[in-house]
Amino acid sequence: MEGTASLIWIVLFLPLIGSLVQALFGGSVVAKMGAAKGKRVMGTLAVLPIAVAFAIGAFLTLQLSQQEVGARSHVVTLFDWINIASLRVPFELVVDPLSMTMVLIITGIGALIHLYATGYMADDQEYPRFFTYLNLFVASMLILVLGNNLGLMFIGWEGVGLCSYLLIGFWYRDIENAKAANKAFIVNRIGDWGLTLGMFLLFAVIVANVDKMQLPEGETRWLSYDVILPNIVRIIEAQPAIATAIALLFFVGACGKSAQFPLYFWLPDAMAGPTPVSALIHAATMVTSGIVILNRMHVIFEVSEVASAVVAMVGAFTALFAAVIAFGQTDIKKVLAYSTVSQLGFMFIGCGVGGYWTGMFHVTTHAFFKALLFLGSGAVIYAMAHNQDMRNYGNLRKYLPITFATMFIGFIAIAGLAVPPGFGFAGFYSKEAILGYALANEHASIGVLNLGYYAGVLGLLVAGLTACYMTRMTWLTFFGKEERWRAIPAVEHGHHDDHHVAHAHHAHDHGPDTHGFFYTDEELAAQPHEHEHHHELDETHTPKEVPPSMWIPLAVLAVPSAIGGFLLYRNHAFEKWLQPEPLPVLGEMSGHPEHLNLLMLSIAAAFSGLIVGLLVYRKGLPKSEGWEMGKWATWRKLAANQFGYDRFLVRSSTEGGGEVANMVWKYIDVGIIDKIVNGVGVAVSKVGMLFGAFQTGYVRSYALMMLFGVTGFLGYIVYTMIRVGGGQ
Amino acid sequence: MPEFNAAFPLPREIDFAMLMPVIMVLVTGMIALVIEMLRPKQNNNLIVIFSIAGLMAAGVATAIQFGQPEKTTLVEMVLRDQFGLICQLLLVVACALTILFSETYLRSRRIAFGEFYPLVLWSTAGAMIMASSRNLLVIFLGLEILSISLYVLAGLARAELRSEESSLKYFLLGSFASGFFLYGIAMFYGATGSLDLAFLANGLTGNPAAKTLLVFGIGLMFVGLGFKAALVPFHQWTPDVYQGAPTNVTAFMAVCSKIGAIAALFRVLVAAAPMKADWLPAMMAIAMLTMIVGNAVALLQKDVKRILGYSSIGHAGYLLVGLLAYVNAPDQVSIATTGYYLLSYTFMTLGAFAVISVVTKDGRDTTRLEDLNGLWQRDRLAAVLLVVFMVSLIGIPPSAGFFGKFFIFQDAISAGLVPLAIVLAISSAISVAYYLQIARAAFVVETEPRPAMRMSPALRATGLICLLGVVLAGILVTPVQRFLMGTPAEEPMEASTTGLVGKG
């Protein structure tokens, strides 16, 4: 197996090479072969490495699953990356169930989304640039999950952050997109702050307790998982406060990447990026890296009940908060974005209460159905002339049968609809497992307060809400008799109804630079107009089903969204794969609450959500949610604005923060620091002038200086010699 | 310990494999001279090809000896050890890189004389001899072979007053320094009765007066080598000569004469380690002075070659810190640190000078900071390369310059030389200012970009090789160090094992 495990390098390097190929040759290939043919070639070259990587990953996973439970972890080292006094950080990857699960998700779903993107991005001029980023993202994400030490993990962590930034701002000429990209990047820095501090603290704790660890002689890989994790429990069990500190700092990092309250607010804005990006990065893979870290580091969380309780409660609150906000959204991608935030909250509930594998289970099923839903929404947007507002949709099942059928499967999966003996689509099983762990265990508690239980109760409520807002989205989009876009009169560039103008503009997610930020008017006019082929959505528009490169991934994803949960849940397959032995600290945990019929409760929650949703949205768009914001209910208006949270943060950080920064600049920076710095600079140049003055250019003075130097030097030696000799 | 034989020794057995690199470089120089004679008034491309081929062969002959045990041959006149091999390999590489971009540069300066090649090759051979002996007379021989060729090279642009001035200045001061070195050798011989550094202990056992003589001998030898390495206060020739000499000669001088001097210093200091209590404080003072003065004076310079001259003084200070740390605690600190630093120094300094040589125009080069303006407009690659080399010279991760400096810093602390570590950190901070000035100058937009100023293909190749060296050595730190130490990948490195954690 060790030899076979080395194949993992190929998995890692394929997307990396793919990215380089796109970057170096993409432009010239498209230019030489002509747009259509060149794009087809580069598209194939983009999908191929990921698909091959998936095949190798699947083979490795199969090999791994045939091994004994205790032997399912292999570390393969390529070279020593850093080797300094008492710290060695090799470039090493780990092949174990957790990393391989993620590899399959990343490459499998990644390959489908790449395929989809070849269709979705077909009209974009910067086709190779898109796939350069997308392949690079896959490579970074693979390093994140495969790296066997915190150093490599951090490279991946920052790599995916960078790719996410680049891809959100892919259509950077629109200032809004650039702003969204900045926001994502900056908010993630806050998370990174926590993550790096956590890493430093963990490192400090490890090196301070080397004597308590059982290690082979000469082991100095203090950042590697196989060194840290088996030993850390012995060290931090005696110091629960430190365990809590490390766990919470890692959780701050997880909150940033996985969009949990209070750091969630970059994710909805991130939907400014192309839809395949939303599906791959901001739903299926990158945003789950927080869960992956928690799973990797779970022993630390096992030791700290307080940190676990915080994780569970933050997860539950985020799930609820985002679910409510989803009711106030009319942009189809925003609904899915908030639903992602909410589902990520579920995963954190699972990890918080000690059911670490349930978190990963939900990561897996969520990757299936959320990628499906996002790609489906992309298909809808594509068919609707890039208009994203659900108030312009309606009755689309007539025009987009394949999209509708597949998205409907996704809808059932996320809503958790199931029939009594316990059969349902993917999301049902994982959500059920999380809630079962939450309601049955007492790990996540502060004092006597079992917060994990309350998180479970909140989770049950959110499950109902999820069914309801997903019903809203599905019915507004696909059902109803009214085809609402027919109400938009076909005037050139829509100078009519105020609302429509405003919304048409915002919905148009990558218009040319209307702000004149980068280009003058003449330059704009001189450019070939990028989006001329996108005619505006108006009454003359007839939606058409999307091309096969786009609906094939939908159809493929629909299969695991439907039956994936059942297959993985049956005979505890996923649990036995990821967590075959009882947890090292918590031991055997129960996944089923004793006094509660959870199955019936969650089925009831899902169906009541569905029924309420049907009652309201059965006939299409209710007047109370239409174009006139004045008629909206107060709570919905608040939800649409994220209860003022985002605005508050932006205000306080850009305006208030600007004030503070101004003061700091004026009094501290200019007043104190500049003076010190300038003073030092002046002092240093004074020294320089002093010595520069000797630089006369005359050989004789140089020789004299040398003589002085020699005399001084030898004099000093003689002085030392006499002093040392005197001491003898 | 070799047996002590006062009678005139005759070589009993000669290991030619050890001598091969030096012989190859010397012979290549002779071939170059012959080609020049046979094809007068023709271009020198053939010489360039022969020289580089010869250097490559010499490089291979050096590299295959990596990891082989320490050994002497020719009656202990020639010594092979790992550090010497590192220096020899770097010298060969540096010489090859210099020759690679010299031809087009010399042509643009209208001084394309064929003599350049034999001189530069012999000079390299001299430095290689310095790096491969423990016998003071042989080291002196190497020093003079290196220096005399360099005196001529510095005056290569013989029609130019500044070049001539620099040549003469270098010659006069260099002779002065050689005098010190020779005087030191004489004292050493007086104290020990031998010219071999290995017999230093002779001077410590017998007559107590011999010890005084020995300390003076070590001190004077340090002065002579310190002049070549440009340590303060023996540095004053550096900026003038660097500025006056043709840029390719400056590049060669900055790298090769420094490597040779550091290699010889290494031998002297290691041999003198038993009495380090006497000389260490004075040398620490020199190291600190060198780092501060080199970097502080560089701030005030307006000429790029002068700035880089002072910068090379600063780097000599860093290198001396590495050597002193090794001598002070050889069991805790690895000499690979200094080897790695020399490697990064070779690539970034040669690269920087190579890029600077692009501003030459109309047979003259003026290298004020303003002359770099508009480089970005005219040749993007040149500007990017310049920035990378500056970044590495500053020591910003992940460049090789960062790791080199970081290891020296770490070694200074593990060896207990904390003051040196502090001064090193402070002076690196100072250096940021002037390096960034150079980088900035390349990006100042010129309203009417001058023509020319484009890199020739050979220059481009040199720049890219140096770039590759700086970047790869930064990424593959440990493999490079392993290679330098000649340790196979599987074995653990006998290196620094203390530090943050301690041995508990």
Side-chain angles (χ1 to χ4, degrees):
Chain A
M1 180 70 198
E2 291 304 334
T4 324
S6 313
L7 284 176
I8 200 69
W9 292 110
I10 304 179
V11 174
L12 176 60
F13 284 122
L14 275 172
L16 207 57
I17 295 167
S19 172
L20 280 177
V21 167
Q22 295 284 336
L24 296 177
F25 309 116
S28 50
V29 166
V30 172
K32 279 215 183 90
M33 302 178 89
K37 203 173 166 201
K39 281 179 181 173
R40 212 171 308 137
V41 170
M42 289 326 285
T44 316
L45 284 179
V47 179
L48 214 57
I50 317 289
V52 175
F54 175 72
I56 298 172
F59 169 71
L60 275 176
T61 311
L62 208 63
Q63 296 280 314
L64 197 65
S65 66
Q66 283 161 4
Q67 291 194 303
E68 278 179 44
V69 166
R72 281 186 193 163
S73 178
H74 304 276
V75 176
V76 282
T77 309
L78 189 61
F79 60 87
D80 261 1
W81 176 37
I82 297 174
N83 189 352
I84 51 172
S86 66
L87 172 65
R88 192 154 80 85
V89 186
F91 205 91
E92 54 182 357
L93 302 187
V94 60
V95 177
D96 70 355
L98 177 60
S99 67
M100 289 318 290
T101 308
M102 283 309 290
V103 166
L104 289 188
I105 295 175
I106 296 161
T107 53
I109 297 194
L112 289 174
I113 291 177
H114 274 71
L115 175 63
Y116 176 91
T118 57
Y120 189 85
M121 302 298 287
D123 297 328
D124 203 280
Q125 288 186 330
E126 296 188 90
Y127 199 74
R129 182 162 70 91
F130 181 77
F131 284 110
T132 307
Y133 295 163
L134 215 54
N135 270 336
L136 184 64
F137 166 77
V138 172
S140 310
M141 190 70 204
L142 286 172
I143 293 183
L144 197 167
V145 299
L146 281 169
N148 185 42
N149 55 54
L150 291 168
L152 280 185
M153 184 276 282
F154 194 66
I155 293 184
W157 188 272
E158 293 303 309
V160 293
L162 171 71
C163 293
S164 157
Y165 166 80
L166 291 171
L167 283 163
I168 295 170
F170 184 73
W171 287 310
Y172 57 89
R173 281 173 201 159
D174 189 335
I175 189 89
E176 291 303 320
N177 293 354
K179 275 187 185 167
N182 278 343
K183 193 170 179 181
F185 200 73
I186 292 164
V187 174
N188 268 297
R189 291 283 77 67
I190 303 175
D192 294 350
W193 163 81
L195 183 78
T196 42
L197 281 189
M199 279 165 57
F200 296 157
L201 185 55
L202 182 60
F203 177 72
V205 169
I206 291 273
V207 294
N209 294 284
V210 173
D211 47 334
K212 290 188 195 149
M213 299 170 66
Q214 292 164 352
L215 290 175
E217 192 63 28
E219 181 64 89
T220 50
R221 296 181 299 134
W222 305 127
L223 291 178
S224 299
Y225 297 138
D226 54 333
V227 172
I228 302 175
L229 295 178
N231 291 297
I232 190 73
V233 174
R234 254 197 305 283
I235 298 172
I236 57 177
E237 247 176 349
Q239 302 158 296
I242 290 199
T244 305
I246 298 176
L248 285 179
L249 286 169
F250 271 102
F251 179 58
V252 170
C255 276
K257 219 29 114 216
S258 293
Q260 293 299 289
F261 192 86
L263 301 179
Y264 77 90
F265 56 100
W266 64 272
L267 186 60
D269 288 24
M271 298 304 144
T275 302
V277 172
S278 310
L280 179 61
I281 301 185
H282 304 117
T285 56
M286 184 188 85
V287 291
T288 62
S289 36
I291 312 293
V292 178
I293 292 305
L294 257 57
N295 264 273
R296 200 44 98 188
M297 295 284 151
H298 67 77
V299 285
I300 300 174
F301 287 84
E302 281 179 59
V303 174
S304 172
E305 294 189 340
V306 177
S308 296
V310 172
V311 172
M313 270 329 275
V314 168
F317 178 74
T318 310
L320 177 66
F321 190 65
V324 174
I325 294 176
F327 281 97
Q329 304 300 320
T330 57
D331 179 330
I332 186 167
K333 278 179 77 180
K334 283 276 164 73
V335 175
L336 288 173
Y338 283 104
S339 125
T340 304
V341 175
S342 175
Q343 297 298 313
L344 287 165
F346 269 102
M347 301 171 200
F348 276 99
I349 298 178
C351 290
V353 298
Y356 301 102
W357 72 269
T358 63
M360 280 308 292
F361 190 21
H362 203 52
V363 165
T364 314
T365 57
H366 178 255
F368 297 147
F369 62 71
K370 190 50 68 68
L372 168 62
L373 285 168
F374 257 116
L375 295 186
S377 79
V380 171
I381 294 166
Y382 186 88
M384 296 301 281
H386 285 258
N387 191 306
Q388 299 184 188
D389 201 309
M390 294 190 296
R391 287 171 294 189
N392 289 327
Y393 297 170
N395 198 24
L396 287 179
R397 69 175 191 276
K398 184 175 138 197
Y399 300 98
L400 310 171
I402 304 172
T403 309
F404 164 67
T406 50
M407 267 186 93
F408 200 75
I409 292 172
F411 158 67
I412 298 175
I414 189 176
L417 297 174
V419 289
F423 290 112
F425 283 3
F428 165 74
Y429 293 99
S430 49
K431 212 177 284 185
E432 187 74 4
I434 288 173
L435 296 181
Y437 266 77
L439 295 173
N441 292 291
E442 294 185 348
H443 169 54
S445 45
I446 298 178
V448 289
L449 198 58
N450 184 1
L451 288 173
Y453 185 81
Y454 297 111
V457 173
L458 272 179
L460 208 52
L461 171 66
V462 177
L465 291 178
T466 308
C468 192
Y469 71 70
M470 286 311 294
T471 311
R472 171 174 176 264
M473 187 196 97
T474 309
W475 255 260
L476 284 183
T477 305
F478 291 109
F479 290 90
K481 292 213 174 74
E482 198 186 357
E483 299 176 352
R484 287 187 293 276
W485 72 91
R486 306 272 183 214
I488 309 173
V491 200
E492 29 96 37
H493 214 276
H495 288 284
H496 44 94
D497 185 326
D498 282 346
H499 298 295
H500 283 258
V501 171
H503 288 276
H505 257 297
H506 278 295
H508 199 104
D509 64 347
H510 55 286
D513 174 30
T514 46
H515 306 260
F517 188 74
F518 294 102
Y519 297 106
T520 60
D521 290 345
E522 294 83 42
E523 279 174 321
L524 262 183
Q527 283 181 343
H529 203 293
E530 260 186 67
H531 302 292
E532 261 169 345
H533 55 276
H534 289 161
H535 63 272
E536 292 289 327
L537 183 67
D538 57 38
E539 58 186 338
T540 60
H541 183 81
T542 312
K544 276 203 301 261
E545 186 58 274
V546 293
S549 66
M550 287 173 72
W551 66 252
I552 289 172
L554 292 181
V556 175
L557 279 169
V559 176
S561 298
I563 59 170
F566 174 70
L567 290 179
L568 291 174
Y569 190 72
R570 201 182 46 166
N571 301 329
H572 302 283
F574 197 78
E575 182 179 3
K576 281 183 185 154
W577 162 246
L578 209 61
Q579 195 175 301
E581 288 160 341
L583 291 168
V585 179
L586 294 177
E588 201 73 64
M589 297 187 80
S590 156
H592 302 283
E594 282 171 24
H595 311 294
L596 222 60
N597 192 342
L598 177 64
L599 183 70
M600 284 332 227
L601 275 177
S602 55
I603 291 177
F607 273 99
S608 46
L610 174 71
I611 289 163
V612 172
L614 282 181
L615 285 176
V616 182
Y617 301 103
R618 181 174 32 102
K619 290 185 176 160
L621 187 71
K623 286 248 171 355
S624 60
E625 291 180 37
W627 292 106
E628 290 171 58
M629 290 289 269
K631 287 190 183 164
W632 283 31
T634 317
W635 72 270
R636 197 183 295 280
K637 271 191 264 181
L638 284 174
N641 290 322
Q642 307 180 34
F643 299 97
Y645 178 71
D646 185 58
R647 185 174 302 165
F648 161 72
L649 280 183
V650 172
R651 277 266 164 83
S652 56
S653 57
T654 58
E655 291 167 22
E659 289 275 303
V660 174
N662 222 340
M663 304 274 270
V664 169
W665 170 73
K666 203 164 165 190
Y667 294 108
I668 298 186
D669 218 42
V670 176
I672 302 173
I673 295 179
D674 276 10
K675 278 200 182 127
I676 295 176
V677 171
N678 290 339
V680 170
V682 169
V684 169
S685 35
K686 283 268 159 63
V687 172
M689 267 187 252
L690 181 71
F691 282 92
F694 294 120
Q695 201 73 30
T696 53
Y698 292 114
V699 173
R700 55 175 181 273
S701 75
Y702 289 2
L704 193 65
M705 275 300 294
M706 251 175 95
L707 200 60
F708 283 152
V710 173
T711 317
F713 174 63
L714 290 181
Y716 193 7
I717 291 189
V718 170
Y719 166 73
T720 329
M721 204 166 75
I722 292 169
R723 219 182 44 179
V724 172
Q728 273 171 358
Chain B
M1 183 63 100
E3 85 185 72
F4 182 63
N5 186 0
F8 188 73
L10 285 172
R12 265 161 293 195
E13 50 97 32
I14 301 172
D15 187 343
F16 275 103
M18 281 164 59
L19 306 177
M20 247 8 230
V22 175
I23 294 176
M24 280 170 160
V25 175
L26 280 173
V27 170
T28 309
M30 291 174 196
I31 294 175
L33 193 61
V34 171
I35 299 177
E36 212 281 321
M37 279 157 53
L38 292 180
R39 295 162 41 102
K41 313 262 177 231
Q42 305 227 12
N43 73 28
N44 298 318
N45 291 349
L46 194 63
I47 304 182
V48 172
I49 292 166
F50 261 94
S51 305
I52 290 180
L55 286 166
M56 278 169 131
V60 171
T62 314
I64 53 170
Q65 297 183 62
F66 268 52
Q68 291 193 22
E70 208 172 299
K71 192 182 170 192
T72 58
T73 189
L74 271 181
V75 220
E76 278 110 46
M77 292 282 171
V78 173
L79 164 78
R80 172 181 69 199
D81 67 354
Q82 195 56 40
F83 189 67
L85 288 176
I86 297 172
C87 291
Q88 288 198 332
L89 186 64
L90 288 177
L91 284 165
V92 168
V93 170
C95 182
L97 286 172
T98 310
I99 288 180
L100 186 58
F101 83 94
S102 282
E103 183 58 22
T104 44
Y105 170 76
L106 292 175
R107 266 183 225 162
S108 72
R109 287 284 307 266
R110 322 261 157 83
I111 46 172
F113 307 123
E115 298 95 309
F116 171 80
Y117 298 95
L119 282 171
V120 88
L121 284 161
W122 291 333
S123 189
T124 308
M128 287 168 77
I129 292 171
M130 285 175 84
S132 62
S133 181
R134 211 170 42 195
N135 189 299
L136 288 169
L137 218 49
V138 177
I139 293 181
F140 183 70
L141 198 67
L143 179 69
E144 289 306 299
I145 297 176
L146 165 75
S147 304
I148 292 171
S149 313
L150 277 179
Y151 302 149
V152 180
L153 284 172
L156 199 66
R158 52 193 172 206
E160 250 177 73
L161 212 54
R162 221 166 35 178
S163 179
E164 283 197 60
E165 180 194 327
S166 91
S167 172
L168 190 64
K169 218 178 242 180
Y170 192 26
F171 168 64
L172 289 173
L173 292 169
S175 315
F176 196 42
S178 290
F180 283 115
F181 189 68
L182 213 49
Y183 201 18
I185 294 178
M187 288 195 175
F188 184 91
Y189 187 78
T192 63
S194 168
L195 286 170
D196 193 323
L197 280 169
F199 294 105
L200 181 122
N202 283 2
L204 293 176
T205 46
N207 187 349
K211 192 192 166 191
T212 316
L213 211 53
L214 200 54
V215 170
F216 269 92
I218 299 290
L220 288 170
M221 285 192 269
F222 180 81
V223 171
L225 294 172
F227 172 85
K228 274 283 154 225
L231 298 174
V232 177
F234 324 115
H235 69 288
Q236 287 186 308
W237 59 276
T238 318
D240 293 8
V241 175
Y242 276 26
Q243 190 185 10
T247 307
N248 60 339
V249 175
T250 312
F252 177 76
M253 205 160 17
V255 175
C256 287
S257 98
K258 194 145 299 183
I259 296 177
I262 290 291
L265 261 182
F266 166 74
R267 303 247 184 270
V268 173
L269 293 186
V270 167
M275 33 191 283
K276 66 177 179 221
D278 295 326
W279 52 255
L280 194 63
M283 288 191 191
M284 281 173 68
I286 295 266
M288 288 195 249
L289 209 58
T290 305
M291 289 188 278
I292 292 175
V293 171
N295 286 308
V297 181
L299 277 180
L300 302 172
Q301 304 303 317
K302 297 277 169 264
D303 184 284
V304 182
K305 275 162 83 181
R306 281 186 88 85
I307 295 180
L308 289 177
Y310 278 107
S311 125
S312 93
I313 296 174
H315 285 276
Y318 306 147
L319 282 163
L320 184 59
V321 173
L323 282 185
L324 292 180
Y326 175 71
V327 174
N328 199 36
D331 48 339
Q332 290 179 12
V333 168
S334 159
I335 194 63
T337 304
T338 310
Y340 183 86
Y341 198 88
L342 281 175
L343 177 122
S344 69
Y345 177 79
T346 301
F347 285 120
M348 59 203 187
T349 306
L350 249 175
F353 276 114
V355 175
I356 298 298
S357 78
V358 83
V359 299
T360 309
K361 58 175 197 285
D362 308 331
R364 299 182 50 81
D365 56 358
T366 47
T367 48
R368 285 162 306 156
L369 276 173
E370 308 91 85
D371 292 321
L372 282 179
N373 289 0
L375 187 61
W376 170 250
Q377 286 154 288
R378 266 159 302 189
D379 194 333
R380 305 246 146 145
L381 181 64
V384 169
L385 286 173
L386 193 64
V387 168
V388 172
F389 297 135
M390 290 305 132
V391 159
S392 185
L393 282 165
I394 294 173
I396 294 176
S399 60
F402 164 74
F403 286 104
K405 215 176 267 186
F406 174 71
F407 291 137
I408 289 187
F409 180 80
Q410 202 186 26
D411 281 2
I413 290 178
S414 342
L417 306 177
V418 179
L420 290 185
I422 294 171
V423 174
L424 190 150
I426 293 175
S427 49
S428 313
I430 297 174
S431 74
V432 176
Y434 62 82
Y435 286 128
L436 283 187
Q437 239 179 352
I438 298 181
R440 199 190 69 116
F443 287 85
V444 171
V445 177
E446 283 264 292
T447 38
E448 39 186 84
R450 279 170 293 172
M453 281 249 292
R454 286 192 156 268
M455 295 206 286
S456 65
L459 183 56
R460 195 162 295 179
T462 314
L464 286 175
I465 293 172
C466 292
L467 174 83
L468 216 61
V470 166
V471 172
L472 280 187
I475 297 171
L476 306 171
V477 177
T478 310
V480 167
Q481 274 192 321
R482 274 185 192 286
F483 170 71
L484 289 181
M485 288 311 286
T487 337
E490 307 83 49
E491 288 172 33
M493 226 169 29
E494 50 98 27
S496 13
T497 39
T498 49
L500 296 170
V501 187
K503 283 179 175 163

